[in-house]
Structures are given as structure tokens and as C-alpha cells.
């Protein structure tokens, strides 16, 4: 098996995510031995965001790191776990809302592929980039 970063790289649909993870200095965390759950926006999810917005995030590394940490949950959280939860705390510190009435939604994002198991956690592919509440304004 491979770690979260290797698995994301091999999938080919996370080029933007991997670029911003590296820029934010989070590669080591997601290659390490800890167990993490990554809510991974696809390249198509990032394409919904204006290019100048992503460029501004790349110039503000603390903000970029905050946004990306909002996509990571401590531990190995799989579909069965989501079905028992209404929220979960992220590495960023803010909770995400979990809705399982019609598939699994995280805030306004839908999980389009779940439970991609890696050596150090699990990846769930989502269709929208998550923005912590404090940064939405």
C-alpha cells in the first residue's frame, strides 16, 4: 500500500490539491505515520474557484494552510463512521457538518468516492473545496 500523498499522486485527479499541499508545507504530515482522513477535492472542484482566488491563497501561506487543514480529520474516518456522525473536528480546529440523508455530504460538498485506504489513513474524494467558516466572509 502507499501513503496518502502517493495514493493521491497515483490517482491523477489531484494535481491542484497536491500543488497547494506542497506550497502549504503539509506534505510531511500526510506522508507521515499518523492516521488521517483527507477530504480531497478533485481538480474539477478546484476549477470551480476563480484562478485569482487560488493565486491569492498561494501568496498567503497561513491562509492556504488553514484551508487545507480544514480538509483533514485526525484518525481513520470511513463511511460507516460518517453514518454515525453529524459533525467532525478538523486539523484546522473547526468542525465540518456531516449529512448522510442522501449520500454523504460534508458541508456543501458531496463525497463522490469514499474509503480509498492508504498506509496512513483514508481519502474521500469530494466535489467542492471546503472553506472554513471564518474565511467565507
Amino acid at each position: 500500500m502507499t501513503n496518502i500523498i502517493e495514493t493521491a499522486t497515483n490517482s491523477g485527479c489531484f494535481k491542484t490539491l497536491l500543488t497547494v499541499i506542497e506550497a502549504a508545507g503539509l506534505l510531511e504530515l500526510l506522508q507521515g505515520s499518523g492516521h488521517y482522513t483527507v477530504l480531497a477535492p478533485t481538480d474539477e472542484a478546484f476549477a470551480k474557484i476563480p484562478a485569482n482566488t487560488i493565486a491569492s491563497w498561494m501568496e498567503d501561506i497561513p491562509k492556504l494552510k488553514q484551508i487545507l487543514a480544514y480538509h483533514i480529520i485526525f484518525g481513520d474516518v470511513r463511511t460507516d463512521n460518517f453514518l454515525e456522525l453529524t459533525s467532525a473536528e478538523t486539523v484546522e480546529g473547526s468542525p465540518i457538518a456531516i449529512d448522510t440523508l442522501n449520500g454523504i455530504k460534508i458541508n456543501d460538498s458531496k463525497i463522490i468516492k469514499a474509503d480509498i485506504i492508504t498506509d496512513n489513513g483514508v481519502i474521500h474524494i469530494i466535489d467542492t473545496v471546503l472553506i472554513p467558516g471564518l474565511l467565507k466572509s
Side-chain angles (χ1 to χ4, degrees):
M1 235 190 290
T2 57
N3 67 40
I4 291 168
I5 296 298
E6 292 164 339
T7 302
T9 301
N10 293 339
S11 81
C13 65
F14 300 114
K15 290 178 180 66
T16 306
L17 178 62
L18 290 164
T19 298
V20 294
I21 284 173
E22 185 172 4
L26 293 172
L27 274 179
E28 241 179 76
L29 176 74
L30 298 175
Q31 290 174 324
S33 60
H35 284 279
Y36 298 98
T37 298
V38 176
L39 305 166
T42 61
D43 290 332
E44 290 81 14
F46 275 101
K48 296 177 186 178
I49 298 171
N52 62 334
T53 299
I54 294 174
S56 74
W57 294 348
M58 295 287 281
E59 293 172 9
D60 185 348
I61 298 303
K63 182 176 186 176
L64 178 64
K65 191 171 189 171
Q66 183 179 3
I67 291 167
L68 294 173
Y70 192 62
H71 290 79
I72 305 169
I73 304 168
F74 287 109
D76 189 332
V77 182
R78 300 188 188 186
T79 302
D80 291 347
N81 305 113
F82 282 131
L83 296 175
E84 299 171 0
L85 300 170
T86 57
S87 66
E89 189 169 327
T90 64
V91 170
E92 183 264 343
S94 300
I96 50 167
I98 300 166
D99 177 354
T100 58
L101 292 177
N102 187 15
I104 300 173
K105 284 187 76 175
I106 308 296
N107 293 355
D108 296 325
S109 181
K110 188 171 188 166
I111 292 181
I112 53 178
K113 185 170 182 187
D115 297 337
I116 301 167
I117 309 305
T118 72
D119 280 341
N120 61 342
V122 61
I123 298 171
H124 302 288
I125 301 175
I126 59 175
D127 65 356
T128 305
V129 176
L130 304 172
I131 307 295
L134 293 175
L135 296 179
K136 283 187 178 181
S137 50

